[in-house]
Amino acid sequence: MSKTNLTMRLLILFSLLIYSQLISAQKIVTTEINEPVDFVNPLIGSDSKPSLSNGNTYPAIALPWGMNFWTPQTGKMGDGWIYTYSADKIRGFKQTHAPSPWMNDYGQFSIMPVTGKLVFNEDERASWFSHKSEISKPYYYSVYLADYDVTTEISPTERAACFRFSFPETDKSYIVVDAFDKGSYVKVIPNERKIIGFTTKNSKGVPSNFKNYFVIEFDEPFTEINTFNGKSLHKSNEMTSDHAGAVVRFKTTKGKVIIAKTASSFISIEQAELNLKELGSDGFETIKSKGREIWNKQLSKIITEGGTLEQNRTFYSCLYRTMLFPRKFFEYDEKGNVVHYSPYNGKVLTGYMFTDTGFWDTFRALFPLLNLTQPALNAQIQEGLINAYKESGWLPEWGSPGLRNVMVGNNSASVVAEAYLKNKETYKYDIETLYQALINGANNEGPLHAVGRYGANYYNKLGYVPYDVSINESAARTLEYAYDDFSIYKLAKALGKPKDEIELYRRRSLNYKNLFDPETKLMRGKLSNGKFMSPFNPFKWGDAFTEGNSWHYTWSVFHDIEGLIDLMGGKKQFVKKLDEVFLLEPIFDETYYKSVIHEIREMQIANMGQYAQGNQPIQHMIYLYAHAGAPWKTQYWVRETMNRMYKPTPDGYCGDEDNGQTSAWYVFSALGFYPVCPSCSEYVVGAPLFKKITLNLENGKQIVINAPNNNTDNKYVSNIFMNGQEYDKNYFTHQDLNNGAVIDFEMNNTENKDRENRKNEVPFSLSNEK
């Protein structure tokens, strides 16, 4: 080899080494995250459609748990898919309260700038845009509308928002205010440079007098005023119709900025004016800066260190999603008192109210995360539930904004019991009223099938909801009712209720055993005569189950995994059954739904067998290995799921994000533990994702999680130390964490099976209760 060739090869090798180090440096974020909001991508999950969900989200431009969200609107009026990443036109900027595309929206109106020809119809006014000229932050949104040469910017408060429109030079600059159809009103008040109005458009779950009132103030006078009625334009200042709107005109120079400040209220125009004061005299940049500060403060409750750029982006995008729902549905009157329009009886009353959450989804991880990191907020949510019960006679299982007939279960029991059991020493509210609400819901059918317990009489008499009595998804209801009874049992004990009452709910919480089929070792629907349904296809979605099959719901015994292990014949059989979930082919029977619903498709394409991380029933199942002495399998599958199923991209989720639940799963899993049984006050240990995570608790304490050897290969836990002491248990207690703790994980690239024979390590199970 010549000297020249040798020199060239050395130079190439040296260049490759430098390049490798640069790439490595780009991948690893080794310093503490000081501005976590910069890692949030509100567009995560927005590349979705009805047939396949990658999150079914929209960019929510809002403050944490804000009463109002704002979002660019690419979908048509009334379309639950407000914003889809694949769209290329924006129809307006919409105030939204949509918790999901399936629940759709209420209290909605839009604002849209146009130039040139006066167009106000949503199809005609829609403008081309590009993601390359779009900026989306939780506290700020900006986009260039190509057809009009206008840049629109938005920055919100909890009940208001500030718009900044940058126009070209023209005497034909317009802003369209669309109050939507199904009954609306607008009035232009030129001497005040103001538009007021209301919208009634909703998707059910509202009283007959429901209105969302709005006010919009501009910083420039109008040169022309029009209102519209559907597709017809009118030279008038006021319009009441099925579909009302207004168009105001401005004369602008190149780069002219017009500011519009807007707020809304479910109470009145006057209350909307009060809500507008949230913006005060602040300019756009100040409002934007304050929003950024608020988001940074909330996101800094959890600080990560030592992850990749992608991991940090995914983590903080998920954490952002856990801080949107349930939304605040209350306002402050002129004296500063908390008041709310009741979505149950239509009255204006005092006290807190929250809405837009489905407990079937969020009892699993979202509410446990609130109880750990946001207990003061969750105490307010509990007060809101008291008001919901007083105003409707029931607890909402899915509120949007009032009672909705969606999903199964009576999971308000878990939400109420967990909040009290974990934080009763710190936050005081009327738990006795909430307990009575649980008893009422547990023993009665409500006005809707998803309120109270559908099939309550059968369940209380037989110990299960029968498959053959025309009650849909009977096995799912039975399994969830049993866990809900356990939650009531735990709360009854804590409140010192009579022994026979306590024992009743303890006994009923074992009803899951009535559906266990010893032949297949799976949960199976049962007839009213006591025989199992036949034929039985464990791969059949729906039917006896809810958005899943028997392989998904068999594990829904959150409170008594030891009892389920015994039914399956012991730990080895139990682990084998868990393994089968991942080893089976992703086959399915969709005949109950008469088509392949998106949840089925998401399981099929995930290449994880029958495991369906994209939907809630099975999300806890990975952590059940810890109950059976095989925690390394939990560690393996948690890391696999996080790496494969979550990305900080528009297609970044593996199914519906569902009001923060799917995000909360990721947040907990990144911390290294998960609340399999929320009302048990324990967290099953998994494996942390980062080298260090710090939780800053509301009580001033910190949870510091160290895993310095953590990396892609080192996903197994070889040892755990808590506060310097070796820790053998496979769970952490809420009290230990809430007191502040330093938890050290020793990570390795090989499975540690030494824990299998240790005693007293498994999490709580009712069967082991003394």
Side-chain angles (χ1 to χ4, degrees):
M1 182 184 296
S2 69
K3 185 176 180 180
T4 302
N5 287 342
L6 178 61
T7 301
M8 286 297 296
R9 290 191 65 181
L10 288 172
L11 283 171
I12 291 170
L13 288 171
F14 179 76
S15 298
L16 288 172
L17 177 62
I18 294 298
Y19 178 76
S20 174
Q21 290 175 338
L22 285 171
I23 294 297
S24 178
Q26 288 174 347
K27 288 179 66 177
I28 301 297
V29 179
T30 57
T31 57
E32 181 178 313
I33 305 299
N34 294 313
E35 302 285 336
V37 73
D38 290 335
F39 292 87
V40 175
N41 178 12
L43 299 180
I44 181 174
S46 62
D47 189 9
S48 299
K49 53 189 176 182
S51 60
L52 184 69
S53 176
N54 290 309
N56 265 335
T57 64
Y58 55 87
I61 314 306
L63 292 192
W65 304 285
M67 190 177 86
N68 301 327
F69 299 171
W70 286 89
T71 195
Q73 180 189 347
T74 64
K76 289 192 174 186
M77 177 176 62
D79 187 345
W81 280 260
I82 307 169
Y83 175 99
T84 51
Y85 193 81
S86 60
D88 45 36
K89 287 187 177 182
I90 286 177
R91 301 168 186 273
F93 301 92
K94 179 179 174 183
Q95 185 187 93
T96 176
H97 302 89
S100 81
W102 307 107
M103 299 302 290
N104 216 313
D105 211 346
Y106 65 91
Q108 53 204 287
F109 66 96
S110 72
I111 300 173
M112 179 68 176
V114 300
T115 59
K117 182 182 177 181
L118 197 169
V119 288
F120 57 91
N121 173 274
E122 67 172 356
D123 291 329
E124 295 175 352
R125 74 185 185 226
S127 172
W128 282 82
F129 81 106
S130 168
H131 297 299
K132 298 178 181 67
S133 60
E134 179 184 42
I135 301 171
S136 185
K137 304 286 185 182
Y139 58 90
Y140 171 73
Y141 180 85
S142 173
V143 71
Y144 176 69
L145 301 174
D147 289 335
Y148 305 121
D149 192 22
V150 175
T151 296
T152 297
E153 300 169 273
I154 312 170
S155 193
T157 62
E158 287 187 346
R159 297 166 189 84
C162 187
F163 281 75
R164 183 164 66 184
F165 302 102
S166 299
F167 281 97
E169 182 175 359
T170 176
D171 62 354
K172 295 181 179 180
S173 291
Y174 302 94
I175 293 178
V176 180
V177 176
D178 191 339
F180 290 10
D181 62 1
K182 307 303 180 184
S184 50
Y185 165 78
V186 294
K187 181 179 181 180
V188 184
I189 309 173
N191 60 324
E192 297 181 29
R193 296 180 296 197
K194 184 184 294 183
I195 300 174
I196 63 173
F198 64 74
T199 174
T200 66
K201 191 171 181 64
N202 65 82
S203 305
K204 300 182 180 179
V206 299
S208 59
N209 67 345
F210 169 81
K211 290 182 176 70
N212 185 38
Y213 301 90
F214 60 83
V215 56
I216 308 169
E217 287 186 356
F218 298 87
D219 69 339
E220 292 288 331
F222 315 136
T223 59
E224 181 184 345
I225 295 169
N226 291 279
T227 57
F228 61 86
N229 175 2
K231 294 185 177 181
S232 61
L233 196 67
H234 299 267
K235 289 288 184 181
S236 63
N237 288 20
E238 193 170 9
M239 179 63 67
T240 303
S241 68
D242 176 73
H243 183 181
V247 186
V248 291
R249 179 177 171 183
F250 305 88
K251 182 178 180 179
T252 58
T253 56
K254 183 175 177 59
K256 173 65 178 177
V257 169
I258 292 179
I259 298 293
K261 293 185 174 182
T262 181
S264 70
S265 167
F266 296 106
I267 296 172
S268 66
I269 291 286
E270 293 74 20
Q271 182 64 47
E273 296 270 12
L274 281 176
N275 293 343
L276 191 63
K277 292 181 179 180
E278 286 186 353
L279 298 170
S281 59
D282 290 343
F284 187 90
E285 288 299 326
T286 301
I287 294 165
K288 177 182 171 183
S289 178
K290 286 182 176 179
R292 176 182 173 86
E293 183 180 350
I294 289 169
W295 272 109
N296 266 327
K297 181 179 178 180
Q298 290 294 346
L299 293 167
S300 293
K301 293 280 182 85
I302 307 179
I303 294 295
T304 64
E305 297 182 49
T308 66
L309 182 60
E310 180 177 281
Q311 287 168 341
N312 278 285
R313 285 176 173 169
T314 304
F315 180 86
Y316 283 109
S317 296
C318 284
L319 190 58
Y320 148 77
R321 287 280 164 195
T322 70
M323 295 180 175
L324 297 175
F325 302 104
R327 81 168 67 253
K328 296 175 180 178
F329 200 77
F330 62 86
E331 306 172 49
Y332 296 95
D333 67 14
E334 67 279 359
K335 295 182 180 179
N337 299 314
V338 176
V339 293
H340 66 271
Y341 165 83
S342 173
Y344 304 104
N345 62 24
K347 298 178 182 179
V348 177
L349 301 165
T350 59
Y352 291 107
M353 182 61 64
F354 291 78
T355 191
D356 292 329
T357 186
F359 292 156
W360 183 84
D361 303 288
T362 56
F363 87 85
R364 304 165 195 267
L366 187 277
F367 275 93
L369 187 63
L370 292 180
N371 280 313
L372 182 62
T373 63
Q374 306 282 347
L377 175 75
N378 202 23
Q380 291 180 356
I381 294 171
Q382 300 305 307
E383 291 188 43
L385 288 175
I386 294 168
N387 291 328
Y389 174 60
K390 290 179 177 178
E391 294 162 26
S392 71
W394 303 90
L395 290 176
E397 301 299 332
W398 228 120
S400 179
L403 302 176
R404 299 294 293 274
N405 201 26
V406 180
M407 307 313 291
V408 304
N410 182 218
N411 303 123
S412 55
S414 180
V415 172
V416 168
E418 183 201 0
Y420 182 78
L421 293 168
K422 288 181 176 176
N423 293 299
K424 62 180 180 292
E425 302 301 329
T426 307
Y427 300 99
K428 305 299 180 184
Y429 46 84
D430 186 3
I431 188 61
E432 287 294 339
T433 294
L434 280 176
Y435 180 77
Q436 292 307 315
L438 296 188
I439 298 303
N440 176 61
N443 294 286
N444 296 283
E445 293 189 349
L448 304 170
H449 291 167
V451 178
R453 292 188 182 180
Y454 190 29
N457 291 334
Y458 290 109
Y459 176 82
N460 293 349
K461 180 180 178 181
L462 300 175
Y464 60 94
V465 180
Y467 176 78
D468 57 343
V469 293
S470 300
I471 296 178
N472 65 320
E473 301 167 6
S474 58
R477 294 181 191 277
T478 298
L479 293 168
E480 295 195 28
Y481 293 168
Y483 167 66
D484 299 331
D485 280 333
F486 170 80
S487 297
I488 296 173
Y489 156 68
K490 292 287 284 186
L491 182 58
K493 280 184 69 176
L495 295 176
K497 296 301 177 183
K499 288 184 178 181
D500 58 344
E501 189 170 330
I502 295 171
E503 180 55 29
L504 170 66
Y505 291 98
R506 183 189 186 282
R507 186 170 64 251
R508 282 182 13 181
S509 70
L510 297 172
N511 282 342
Y512 72 88
K513 295 183 179 182
N514 295 327
L515 295 191
F516 184 80
D517 173 20
E519 180 183 349
T520 62
K521 291 183 169 50
L522 294 168
M523 296 296 176
R524 183 172 176 178
K526 184 175 279 190
L527 307 178
S528 52
N529 63 8
K531 296 182 179 179
F532 284 110
M533 58 172 285
S534 184
F536 172 57
N537 179 359
F539 302 103
K540 186 174 185 179
W541 281 62
D543 199 19
F545 301 99
T546 301
E547 293 183 4
N549 60 34
S550 180
W551 279 102
H552 304 143
Y553 258 94
T554 290
W555 317 104
S556 293
V557 188
F558 313 95
H559 57 294
D560 195 19
I561 301 303
E562 188 66 32
L564 184 60
I565 289 172
D566 291 343
L567 289 174
M568 287 190 177
K571 292 182 177 181
K572 288 186 178 180
Q573 290 301 315
F574 183 77
V575 169
K576 183 179 178 182
K577 204 72 172 179
L578 288 170
D579 288 342
E580 279 188 72
V581 172
F582 299 105
L583 295 173
L584 288 166
E585 294 181 23
I587 58 175
F588 55 84
D589 177 348
E590 79 285 9
T591 54
Y592 175 79
Y593 294 111
K594 297 182 174 62
S595 65
V596 179
I597 62 174
H598 74 90
E599 290 90 349
I600 295 175
R601 190 69 72 204
E602 288 140 21
M603 180 201 75
Q604 181 194 32
I605 65 177
N607 193 26
M608 294 182 77
Q610 287 291 315
Y611 185 70
Q613 173 67 21
N615 208 21
Q616 281 66 42
I618 201 171
Q619 285 181 349
H620 68 292
M621 166 250 163
I622 290 175
Y623 286 90
L624 301 188
Y625 285 107
H627 284 265
W632 61 90
K633 294 195 174 188
T634 289
Q635 295 151 22
Y636 173 83
W637 284 115
V638 166
R639 188 66 64 89
E640 281 291 298
T641 303
M642 296 178 78
N643 288 345
R644 291 162 56 179
M645 298 290 106
Y646 292 80
K647 303 290 180 184
T649 55
D651 63 345
Y653 287 108
C654 47
D656 284 353
E657 196 280 326
D658 282 328
N659 310 117
Q661 165 57 30
T662 302
S663 292
W665 185 95
Y666 186 94
V667 171
F668 267 120
S669 295
L671 296 178
F673 49 87
Y674 186 80
V676 167
C677 177
S679 51
C680 295
S681 297
E682 292 180 358
Y683 305 86
V684 179
V685 173
L689 183 64
F690 298 92
K691 293 181 182 295
K692 183 178 180 181
I693 309 176
T694 303
L695 282 76
N696 298 298
L697 303 179
E698 283 186 354
N699 61 10
K701 305 293 180 63
Q702 284 188 329
I703 304 169
V704 180
I705 301 164
N706 296 308
N709 294 328
N710 212 348
N711 58 39
T712 302
D713 296 324
N714 292 350
K715 54 179 168 278
Y716 297 107
V717 177
S718 59
N719 217 343
I720 303 173
F721 295 84
M722 179 178 282
N723 300 326
Q725 301 295 315
E726 189 169 3
Y727 193 82
D728 285 343
K729 298 176 182 177
N730 273 343
Y731 63 90
F732 303 130
T733 69
H734 181 79
Q735 195 60 53
D736 284 344
L737 297 180
N738 203 44
N739 288 339
V742 176
I743 304 171
D744 295 295
F745 284 85
E746 292 182 353
M747 307 296 293
N748 210 318
N749 61 1
T750 55
E751 304 167 352
N752 176 18
K753 300 182 179 181
D754 182 48
R755 288 174 164 261
E756 186 171 4
N757 297 316
R758 297 184 187 181
K759 302 296 182 183
N760 302 317
E761 67 170 42
V762 296
F764 174 90
S765 282
L766 183 59
S767 292
N768 292 339
E769 187 179 52
K770 295 180 181 179

